[in-house]
Amino acid sequence: MTGQGPDSISIDVGEVLQRSVASLYSSLVTRPTGRAVRMAIETQLQGTGSLSISLIDFSEVGIIDYSCADEVVAKLLRQQLADEVRDAFFVFRGVSGAHHPQVEGVLQRQSLAAVVEVEPDHFTLVGTFTADEQRVWDRLEHEGSVEPDAMGLIAPTGQDQRALESLLHRGLAFRSPHSGRIHALSRLVAHLM
Amino acid sequence: MRRQGERVLFDARHLRWVDPNGMVALLLGGSLVGEASGTFPHIEMPESQDVLGYLGRMGFHDQAHQVFEFDTPARRGGSRPSDVLLEITAIDTNHDVHEIVDRVQTRAGAILTSKLGYPAASVIPFSVMLSEVCQNIIEHADGSGWVAAQAYNWAKRLGRFVIVISVMDKGRGFRGSLTDEHSARYGDRWSDSTALEAAFLHGLTRFSDPGRGQGLQQIRKQVRKWSGLISVRSGTARISQVPEWDDSPPMVDGMASLPGAQIGIILPAAVQP
């Protein structure tokens, strides 16, 4: 970890696909392909600090099927959620209309959610989440970050506060262990885009 | 079952019409007979030049060389541009699935938009659907298979164009794939039909991974979105998701036993409002 934020890394899935699987494949399809790409991503992540945020970029991927979306997106998130300490965060970039149904489908099937860029500079929650979580996440996304003494800006009620804790627990928002400030994940990867 | 060394003839001389289901089923039948008898069965190719030419364009002869013994038909007339959506393609490895997806992307767009009236972007879900349905063979069947797809004008039956996709494998079938993990909870009710229900309706697989088993579910969802028909036949049963334009029963039991599995998908042209 550097400064007060997590280490950040940008990973181009299209480039990983070409490099780690086969340069002939233009589509992210079949489960073994997805597994190979995920393992290559995990290898890259091992080089980051103990607290990290990764921008996983699908911009150069033509087609992704459900099996690959499960291997690359859902499994990365599931492994992160399985850890007791929340130390790896993910933002998925370039999830266009061609990718969105598959990513959403695999996340919903396992009651997962992710922060996803669906259009340039437009982030949204995709997957399974409550209306309370959506409302609080939208406010945080609008604010960018919130100081500990200004939580009322995004979570003025007890219900909102519980939703915020859930977002933090699910890795959909980041709280600095040093300052207590809460950050929208999109802001933490803005410099990588 | 044929005895070792016994020769079998597949007589297709009087075939007047064949679709991807028929072609792929011929290959499956020939392959099973060949494995049982230890020698390639013989096939007499259709006498109709139209049917023969169509089989050639669908790549049947190329695949049949791996299954049958036959006299290679003479090519007549000049070659014409292929109008085939997806020639019969053997599926043995994931590499085959990659090739199918790449190939179909370049051809499906025009057919989906011009003949079926689907939006141009539908080539993406169509390719994803093909990827998942082909992977079903590799991931679950533990055996090889074939896929083929073509567009037809179902003028009499439906008054619309349709795309017919056929996938067949000679693997262990749905019941064979699921028995170890799921038969106990079904007890005496465990059969080909309950195995199909478990996979087709409930997304069960032999894997404990919660991310598995969604391929068929997502295919069903997409087929329903396009008002299509999907059926899965394995063992002695067939389960279908039936659209309003078809009157097939959702479940048929007691059929002649089919080793492996057959997945059939029919996508009709969109009805303009």
Side-chain angles (χ1 to χ4, degrees):
Chain A
M1 182 171 167
T2 57
Q4 294 194 342
D7 281 357
S8 53
I9 181 172
S10 177
I11 296 174
D12 180 342
V13 178
E15 191 268 332
V16 173
L17 172 67
Q18 297 286 309
R19 177 167 45 81
S20 63
V21 185
S23 59
L24 294 173
Y25 296 167
S26 59
S27 301
L28 195 48
V29 297
T30 79
R31 194 163 283 276
T33 300
R35 193 177 299 132
V37 167
R38 173 172 50 78
M39 290 170 72
I41 291 172
E42 287 169 346
T43 302
Q44 280 189 250
L45 294 180
Q46 284 170 5
T48 62
S50 58
L51 194 56
S52 68
I53 182 161
S54 308
L55 182 67
I56 310 292
D57 190 347
F58 287 91
S59 302
E60 299 302 317
V61 173
I63 286 180
I64 180 170
D65 68 6
Y66 288 95
S67 302
C68 273
D70 179 59
E71 285 291 334
V72 178
V73 179
K75 277 204 168 67
L76 276 177
L77 292 174
R78 260 173 47 205
Q79 287 169 4
Q80 169 229 348
L81 291 172
D83 294 339
E84 275 190 28
V85 180
R86 193 75 60 248
D87 56 4
F89 297 81
F90 297 96
V91 174
F92 297 93
R93 185 187 191 197
V95 179
S96 65
H99 311 133
H100 191 275
Q102 293 82 272
V103 170
E104 184 175 52
V106 300
L107 292 175
Q108 287 181 339
R109 179 177 168 91
Q110 298 173 68
S111 300
L112 297 167
V115 176
V116 169
E117 186 207 46
V118 290
E119 292 170 21
D121 295 326
H122 180 227
F123 293 84
T124 187
L125 279 181
V126 172
T128 301
F129 42 85
T130 66
D132 290 346
E133 288 173 327
Q134 173 79 77
R135 185 176 60 251
V136 173
W137 186 89
D138 284 344
R139 289 177 189 147
L140 177 60
E141 182 64 17
H142 178 73
E143 295 292 331
S145 65
V146 181
E147 295 292 344
D149 59 359
M151 289 300 159
L153 283 173
I154 60 169
T157 69
Q159 195 172 337
D160 289 336
Q161 286 156 22
R162 284 190 291 279
L164 177 59
E165 286 304 319
S166 176
L167 291 172
L168 292 163
H169 178 73
R170 301 181 71 189
L172 301 170
F174 172 75
R175 175 157 49 202
S176 166
H178 300 283
S179 65
R181 176 187 273 237
I182 292 178
H183 300 263
L185 298 189
S186 63
R187 298 306 202 281
L188 295 175
V189 295
H191 66 288
L192 298 173
M193 301 173 69
Chain B
M1 190 61 71
R2 294 284 157 187
R3 286 189 296 272
Q4 195 74 11
E6 194 173 22
R7 301 303 303 273
V8 175
L9 169 68
F10 282 68
D11 187 355
R13 286 176 299 167
H14 305 296
L15 200 60
R16 295 170 62 183
W17 197 85
V18 62
D19 78 351
N21 290 299
M23 295 179 213
V24 171
L26 267 177
L27 292 171
L28 179 68
S31 180
L32 293 170
V33 166
E35 285 173 10
S37 64
T39 181
F40 280 4
H42 188 83
I43 186 168
E44 288 285 348
M45 289 294 179
E47 291 170 350
S48 161
Q49 288 302 309
D50 286 344
V51 176
L52 201 57
Y54 181 51
L55 285 175
R57 293 200 302 283
M58 286 295 290
F60 180 81
H61 302 136
D62 296 336
Q63 296 298 327
H65 277 298
Q66 316 298 318
V67 173
F68 293 107
E69 179 189 278
F70 61 99
D71 299 325
T72 304
R75 286 183 183 274
R76 296 194 181 184
S79 62
R80 53 192 256 195
S82 176
D83 57 352
V84 173
L85 176 52
L86 178 64
E87 294 93 346
I88 304 168
T89 306
I91 304 167
D92 290 306
T93 67
N94 284 288
H95 177 72
D96 298 324
V97 180
H98 276 274
E99 289 210 330
I100 287 164
V101 170
D102 284 350
R103 199 186 317 156
V104 86
Q105 278 181 74
T106 60
R107 300 183 187 174
I111 293 174
L112 288 167
T113 51
S114 66
K115 295 203 185 304
L116 267 62
Y118 291 5
S122 59
V123 69
I124 302 290
F126 183 79
S127 303
V128 169
M129 191 173 71
L130 263 183
S131 170
E132 295 293 345
V133 80
C134 292
Q135 281 181 76
N136 195 67
I137 293 177
I138 297 160
E139 294 285 325
H140 302 289
D142 256 1
S144 57
W146 296 270
V147 60
Q150 180 60 312
Y152 297 94
N153 186 2
W154 276 14
K156 287 183 185 167
R157 183 170 171 187
L158 194 59
R160 281 186 269 171
F161 267 91
V162 297
I163 282 178
V164 176
I165 303 169
S166 181
V167 180
M168 291 185 87
D169 69 70
K170 50 182 182 177
R172 55 183 161 176
F174 279 70
R175 185 180 182 181
S177 176
L178 297 177
T179 290
D180 287 351
E181 292 295 322
H182 300 289
S183 60
R185 81 176 70 162
Y186 286 84
D188 292 343
R189 292 196 308 115
W190 185 244
S191 64
D192 288 321
S193 56
T194 48
L196 280 176
E197 282 177 354
F200 191 74
L201 300 180
H202 307 303
L204 296 187
T205 75
R206 70 179 191 276
F207 303 103
S208 55
D209 182 341
R212 304 298 289 260
Q214 57 190 317
L216 261 181
Q217 305 302 302
Q218 299 296 353
I219 294 167
R220 282 179 55 209
K221 197 170 157 187
Q222 188 60 55
V223 170
R224 188 186 302 121
K225 200 178 286 183
W226 283 330
S227 300
L229 167 70
I230 175 169
S231 64
V232 182
R233 181 178 172 185
S234 184
T236 58
R238 186 185 70 207
I239 192 166
S240 304
Q241 179 176 285
V242 185
E244 50 82 26
W245 53 262
D246 192 80
D247 55 6
S248 302
M251 174 65 81
V252 181
D253 216 338
M255 302 175 80
S257 185
L258 177 86
Q262 175 186 30
I263 300 179
I265 297 173
I266 299 170
L267 304 174
V271 178
Q272 301 306 325

